[in-house]
Amino acid sequence: MKININGYIIPNEYKRVYDFFGMESCCPNDIKTAKLKSVNEPLDITIGTCYGGSIFAGSEIGSEIAAHEPGSSGRIMGLAASAASVLAMYIQHLSMAPTAMMMVHNVSSEAEGDYHVMDKESTTLKNCNKALSAAYVLKSGMPEKDALKMMDETSWLTAQQAKEKGLIDE
């Protein structure tokens, strides 16, 4: 079953709005629907140009990909940024076009309030970083500290760099 991931990674409840405005997006239900249509065949995933988006939707999409028993293969053809780079880590056999890029960075959010709110938000963001770094660790085998450093540096990786880090298979 062919699946194209382009645009933004969004929660299920945003999908109608993105579709209404003709904006490319991928939500967890898109993957669940594709899995129902391909119970006995592997997922064939193409990440075209995906800017990232919701970390929780990306995590759910990745988990759905990983749980697909016939397996998965995928290609990054343009850009797998942010949450898209996280969900890509769940693809069993992942390749990347020589001109494609992968971007990883720290989780960001918006918050307002006093210093107590900001202190709590900082802790939450650090916890989110640790949670998402697990995807890079799972795929590559790199230590968590290396994954967190790569995220902290807002890394734009070429196909060769991603291969050297073990984030892609070819």
Side-chain angles (χ1 to χ4, degrees):
M1 170 57 103
K2 291 191 180 288
I3 299 172
N4 293 315
I5 298 177
N6 295 297
Y8 292 94
I9 304 302
I10 59 171
N12 293 325
E13 59 270 20
Y14 293 6
K15 187 67 174 176
R16 282 194 327 235
V17 174
Y18 275 73
D19 288 349
F20 179 81
F21 286 106
M23 298 170 65
E24 289 188 300
S25 63
C26 182
C27 70
N29 280 346
D30 292 336
I31 305 305
K32 290 175 186 174
T33 300
K35 284 174 57 179
L36 289 173
K37 294 177 182 176
S38 63
V39 175
N40 296 317
E41 65 179 293
L43 301 176
D44 179 14
I45 301 165
T46 298
I47 299 174
T49 297
C50 188
Y51 309 109
S54 167
I55 62 170
F56 303 114
S59 177
E60 187 176 352
I61 289 169
S63 295
E64 287 291 339
I65 291 168
H68 190 64
E69 295 221 4
S72 61
S73 63
R75 294 166 305 289
I76 299 169
M77 302 302 286
L79 173 65
S82 193
S85 72
V86 172
L87 72 85
M89 298 299 103
Y90 289 90
I91 298 171
Q92 284 179 322
H93 183 80
L94 182 61
S95 64
M96 200 166 157
T99 55
M101 297 288 293
M102 180 185 294
M103 190 274 280
V104 299
H105 66 101
N106 286 333
V107 176
S108 63
S109 71
E110 295 179 21
E112 84 178 45
D114 66 12
Y115 69 94
H116 296 291
V117 173
M118 296 303 163
D119 287 346
K120 181 156 181 62
E121 189 69 7
S122 175
T123 299
T124 300
L125 290 171
K126 289 174 187 172
N127 284 336
C128 289
N129 282 345
K130 286 181 78 66
L132 293 187
S133 73
Y136 304 119
V137 169
L138 180 72
K139 180 70 175 179
S140 70
M142 71 173 65
E144 179 187 62
K145 68 177 181 56
D146 291 350
L148 289 168
K149 182 176 188 263
M150 179 178 66
M151 293 167 66
D152 201 42
E153 293 173 347
T154 305
S155 302
W156 286 82
L157 305 172
T158 65
Q160 184 61 38
Q161 291 167 326
K163 173 80 170 113
E164 289 166 4
K165 290 184 179 298
L167 300 172
I168 62 171
D169 302 299
E170 66 177 292

